[in-house]
Every structure is written in C-alpha cells, then in structure tokens.
Amino acid sequence: MLRRAMAIAVGFLALTGMQAPPPAPRPPMSLWRLDCGDFDVHDINAFMSDTSEYPARPKHLVGSCYLIKHGETYLLWDTGMPAALVGHADQSPVMTVTLHASIVDQLARIGVRPEQVTMVGISHYHGDHTGQARAFPHARLLMGAADLAAMRARPAAGQADLAPWLSGGGQVTEVQGDLDVFNDGSVVMLNLPGHTPGHHALLVRLASGPVMLSGDTYHFTEQVAHRGVPPFNTNRAESLASMDRFDRLARNLHARVIIQHEPADVAKLPAFPAAAH
C-alpha cells in the first residue's frame, strides 16, 4: 500500500513538472566505544549454552557501551556494570567481574558532561547493561516496552538502576518493534526479542558504513555458528529467530558487526578516545 502511494505521488509530480525534494542530509555522526566491564567466565559452556555446544573452559568477555553523537545530540547505548565496581572486583562461582573506569569519567576525557547525554538506549534489562544509567537521570530512556513491563511486574536485574524512569519521574520511550531514533534512518533500535522479552540491538549508519551493535543477541563469536542459546534466555524460539534476522540484516547491509561482549569485535572500532565516523 505504501509503495503504491509513493508511486502515485511520484507520477503526480512528474505530470505537474515538479520534482520531489531531495532527502534531507543526515547530520555528522560519531561513535565511541566505552569500557563497561570485564568478565572472566569460569565455564562458558555451562553459562552460555542449553545444548552443551562448547567445551567446558574459561572465557574472557567484555562489557561495552557506546556513545553516539548525531549532530549535536548525544545518545548513550547501554550503561554497563555499576560504577561501584571500579577498583572492587565482584567474584562469584560463575565469573569474576571487574570495571576499570566509570562512563562519566570516560566521557570527561572527550569533554562530554552527563547532562549533555539527552538519550539513553538500553538493549535489555540485565544488570550488566543498566548499571550506570542512574548517572543520566535527565536523559530520555529508550527501552523495549516488554522489558519495562517485565520489570514493573516483578523485581528484576537492573530495576534499581532504572529507578528514575520506572518511578514515573523520568522521560521514557517504551519501544515496540523497531524504533528510528532520529527519524532519518541513521540510528535504529532493532526489535530482537528472546534474550529478554523486549531485547533490542542497534543499527548505526556512519559515513564509513553501517555498524550493528548486538546487545545480547550474541555474546561471543562461536554462538554465531553454533546457535548456542543461553539457558537464561526468556524464549528459545524467539532467540533463534532474532539471530537469523540479525545475521540476514548484517549481510544485506554489509554492516560491521560488533558483538558487544566479544573482545575481538569491540576491537573493530577505534580505541577510546578515538571515534568512528
């Protein structure tokens, strides 16, 4: 229906001798990778596969967050582990988690103050993605509606981290489906449920080419080939469907894929404080 309407509009413009206006140019964009934690997992197979896809072994993963500048607007994607972990490792039977610097301290290195970040996009409600959100209480939260509903219905990881918004005091966009953040196709939250009910990844169209930030669609490279679904995912079938959509979209867009917990993928982007453009 939309294509037919567009065709009619183009035909009308041709008949009247008018030309369709060119699309508005996108403003300059930059993308910084931020250090949001290190995870030394004791047994990657037990933690990350419900079908025993991997040999039982330790594995090092990272937490990564991203600052996107669109014109003069700053969007923070994911907020990592809590800043209280800086200098204080968290050890458990499953993994050891460390954090070297807070997001606020990292942003200060490139001259960005917390109040300049006007949007915070969260891929999903797990605490390693929500941990420092409270440092940006005046920003608009962009998050999957199904994840927000799940958090309101029961205590969940990250609930305290998102208290400024869950309490009704902060600005919230409850994302259903995909969201074109700036209404120009440059930054799109991609609806990829399964890891959590409202999980999203992020597509960023830089001048150098599209970048796809995985959220937790995948956690590390081997998942792509083995389709290993973590036992803590909320829906196995949705997880597999989301992996398929992510892969097909990345292939068709010739996108640079960044699995946010995979050190080798994060290293595809310039080392902070340099930015990708």
Side-chain angles (χ1 to χ4, degrees):
M1 194 71 180
L2 178 60
R3 289 183 178 178
R4 182 181 178 188
M6 291 177 63
I8 292 171
V10 170
F12 174 77
L13 290 171
L15 287 172
T16 58
M18 299 170 60
Q19 292 187 347
R26 292 173 182 159
M29 290 180 57
S30 301
L31 171 67
W32 289 266
R33 78 185 216 209
L34 304 173
D35 177 5
C36 283
D38 284 271
F39 305 84
D40 289 304
V41 181
H42 304 325
D43 181 358
I44 197 65
N45 184 58
F47 186 52
M48 285 293 180
S49 176
D50 64 2
T51 52
S52 196
E53 292 291 338
Y54 319 109
R57 69 189 191 283
K59 187 170 181 64
H60 176 70
L61 302 176
V62 297
S64 61
C65 309
Y66 300 86
L67 181 70
I68 297 150
K69 186 178 184 184
H70 177 274
E72 297 303 316
T73 301
Y74 287 100
L75 162 69
L76 180 64
W77 177 250
D78 281 338
T79 64
M81 296 298 294
L85 284 179
V86 175
H88 301 88
D90 180 24
Q91 298 186 9
S92 75
V94 175
M95 69 180 78
T96 299
V97 183
T98 55
L99 184 66
H100 302 291
S102 71
I103 293 175
V104 169
D105 286 345
Q106 291 177 76
L107 296 186
R109 292 181 59 191
I110 56 174
V112 177
R113 303 182 307 277
E115 60 268 25
Q116 290 178 268
V117 177
T118 57
M119 289 186 282
V120 173
I122 301 288
S123 61
H124 64 292
Y125 59 56
H126 289 158
D128 58 323
H129 293 258
T130 65
Q132 297 177 60
R134 282 180 292 179
F136 309 91
H138 302 297
R140 173 174 288 277
L141 176 69
L142 313 176
M143 191 170 177
D147 269 21
L148 288 165
M151 295 177 76
R152 293 183 179 118
R154 65 184 188 278
Q159 191 163 32
D161 302 325
L162 301 181
W165 299 276
L166 293 175
S167 66
Q171 303 176 77
V172 182
T173 296
E174 301 197 15
V175 182
Q176 300 193 42
D178 292 352
L179 175 67
D180 186 346
V181 175
F182 297 106
N183 295 312
D184 61 3
S186 61
V187 179
V188 180
M189 288 180 65
L190 301 170
N191 183 40
L192 296 171
H195 184 63
T196 61
H199 178 272
H200 282 74
L202 195 71
L203 168 64
V204 184
R205 288 186 169 96
L206 299 174
S208 58
V211 173
M212 289 178 63
L213 305 174
S214 69
D216 277 4
T217 306
Y218 296 114
H219 292 79
F220 57 104
T221 302
E222 288 154 285
Q223 272 186 291
V224 180
H226 293 291
R227 287 295 190 266
V229 176
F232 51 88
N233 278 23
T234 57
N235 188 298
R236 195 173 204 284
E238 287 185 347
S239 297
L240 293 170
S242 290
M243 290 175 182
D244 182 67
R245 185 193 178 199
F246 186 89
D247 292 352
R248 288 172 180 269
L249 190 57
R251 182 173 64 248
N252 292 335
L253 295 179
H254 306 287
R256 187 173 3 172
V257 169
I258 309 296
I259 298 174
Q260 290 184 217
H261 285 296
E262 172 59 69
D265 272 20
V266 175
K268 295 175 185 176
L269 295 171
F272 188 81
H277 303 282

